[in-house]
């Protein structure tokens, strides 16, 4: 096309067509050829008596993407919320359900998946993730967080996360997972894994917010065709990111809540995002996404540059996970 004509058309096309407002269920492409909905409901720390109603409410409010994990110890309740949604006419194929293999199950991948499927009341999940690249002793002194007598984490040195991935790949033939991926993988761990992977992870789920942009990992994943899902967008429990000055400024400019800015930040970066709430009004409010412009993104990106990094989620494994401490 004549470049002059191209410029003319671009200049006269409404910005809402060039940059359509992102929607909670906008599908973001995975390397499997399928899509993941832009916004998911998180369920970590959704307490007993809260998880079922949060999931049922979210689905009735239009959420299609629910993020779960064996380690959250609430999959049965999440399953009850899903069952309620199915009873009301929601179809399984219209939902995108993720769950995760816990660290004490790295040598029992199929068993880990079966336990989650049973608790959730599902025949398959849309995405199954290795929760952390750290195998822990399956026969230790605790089923989830085993420790050695000296108090350090009881790791399983007889296997590696690469062996785990090989078992994950086998799950694809069972029909019980539509896609497989990882979580909490730094560039160092992905560099370790990818040369051995027959199947490239579809997703890397990482802690991500303006205090922790993880640009290096986001760029690396993009280059390798791995979709990034951001977790703890509000800074996890108590939502500390909501009070950040730069976030409030952008929110005020657009006349929206800080939560909308914190969620939309990830969509602008091409990531999907998980927002946890058990409060119906917040579950509803978190559906709103907007387009952030370049100056908004610059403002949000400047936050970690001036204030440094904060990780809100970092369990003590006693292992260097390879996350950069400076960006
Ligand atoms: N792969 C991993 O290792 C990993 C690690 C962490 C998280 N995740 C996933 O990511 C999800 C989200 O992360 P997260 O749970 O750490 O934290 P988050 O979503 O950043 O924050 C949750 C907190 O924000 C509050 N909140 C939610 N919406 C709000 C609103 N509109 N206004 C004010 N407060 C609001 C919630 O309160 P209420 O619930 O009381 O309303 C809760 O205290 C998790 O639930 C989990 O599914 C994955």
């Amino acid at each position: 096309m004549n470049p002059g004509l191209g410029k003319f058309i671009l200049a006269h096309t409404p910005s809402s067509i060039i940059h359509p407002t992102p929607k909670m269920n906008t599908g973001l492409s995975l390397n499997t050829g399928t899509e993941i909905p832009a916004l998911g409901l998180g369920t970590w720390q959704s307490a007993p008596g809260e998880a079922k109603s949060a999931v049922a409410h979210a689905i009735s409010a239009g959420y299609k993407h629910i993020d779960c994990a064996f380690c959250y110890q609430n999959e049965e309740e999440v399953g009850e919320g899903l069952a309620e949604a199915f009873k009301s006419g929601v179809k399984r194929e219209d939902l995108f359900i993720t769950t995760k293999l816990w660290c004490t199950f790295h040598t029992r991948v199929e068993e880990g998946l079966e336990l989650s499927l049973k608790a959730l009341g599902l025949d398959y999940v849309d995405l199954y993730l290795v929760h952390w690249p750290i195998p822990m002793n399956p026969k230790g002194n605790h089923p989830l967080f085993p420790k050695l007598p000296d108090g350090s984490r009881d790791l399983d040195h007889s296997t590696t996360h690469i062996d785990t991935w090989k078992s994950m790949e086998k799950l694809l033939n069972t029909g019980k997972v539509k896609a497989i991926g990882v979580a909490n993988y730094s560039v160092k761990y992905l560099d370790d894994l990818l040369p051995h992977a027959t199947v490239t992870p579809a997703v890397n789920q990482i802690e991500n917010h303006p205090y922790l942009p993880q640009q290096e990992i986001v760029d690396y994943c993009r280059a390798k065709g791995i979709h990034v899902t951001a977790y703890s967008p509000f800074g996890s429990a108590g939502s500390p990111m909501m009070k950040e000055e730069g976030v409030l400024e952008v929110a005020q400019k657009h006349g929206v809540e800080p939560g909308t800015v914190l969620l939309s930040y990830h969509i602008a970066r091409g990531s999907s995002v998980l927002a946890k709430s058990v409060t119906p009004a917040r579950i509803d409010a978190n559906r709103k996404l907007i387009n952030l412009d370049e100056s908004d993104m610059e403002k949000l990106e400047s936050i970690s540059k001036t204030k440094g990094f904060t990780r809100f989620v970092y369990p003590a494994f006693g292992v260097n996970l390879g996350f950069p401490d400076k960006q």
Side-chain angles (χ1 to χ4, degrees), residues 44 67 72 184 205 232 234 236 238 276-279 282 286:
W44 181 39
D67 183 72
Y72 301 164
N184 300 300
Q205 192 183 109
S232 303
F234 305 140
S236 208
K276 178 264 177 182
S277 179
V278 292
T279 314
R282 291 174 173 177
N286 293 343

Side-chain angles (χ1 to χ4, degrees), residues 147-263:
K147 280 188 176 168
L148 292 171
D150 68 1
S152 64
R153 197 52 74 206
D154 189 357
L155 304 178
D156 184 354
H157 297 288
S158 71
T159 185
T160 72
H161 71 103
I162 295 167
D163 300 329
T164 313
W165 188 251
K166 290 283 152 206
S167 306
M168 293 287 285
E169 287 177 338
K170 289 196 189 119
L171 292 180
L172 287 167
N173 299 324
T174 65
K176 294 176 183 174
V177 301
K178 299 279 183 209
I180 53 173
V182 295
N184 300 300
Y185 266 60
S186 60
V187 168
K188 169 174 138 60
Y189 272 82
L190 285 168
D191 266 343
D192 254 12
L193 174 67
L194 293 185
H196 304 279
T198 307
V199 177
T200 300
V203 167
N204 186 14
Q205 192 183 109
I206 53 171
E207 181 176 347
N208 220 197
H209 41 70
Y211 281 170
L212 196 67
Q214 309 237 54
Q215 195 61 47
E216 185 195 10
I217 302 171
V218 171
D219 289 344
Y220 180 99
C221 286
R222 187 171 299 144
K224 302 286 182 189
I226 302 169
H227 174 80
V228 170
T229 298
Y231 74 66
S232 303
F234 305 140
S236 208
S239 57
M241 289 300 312
M242 298 264 193
K243 297 176 198 86
E244 166 55 42
E245 205 182 314
V247 174
L248 291 171
E249 268 178 49
V250 176
Q252 197 175 19
K253 173 182 152 187
H254 289 278
V256 296
E257 295 298 317
T260 295
V261 172
L262 288 167
L263 297 174

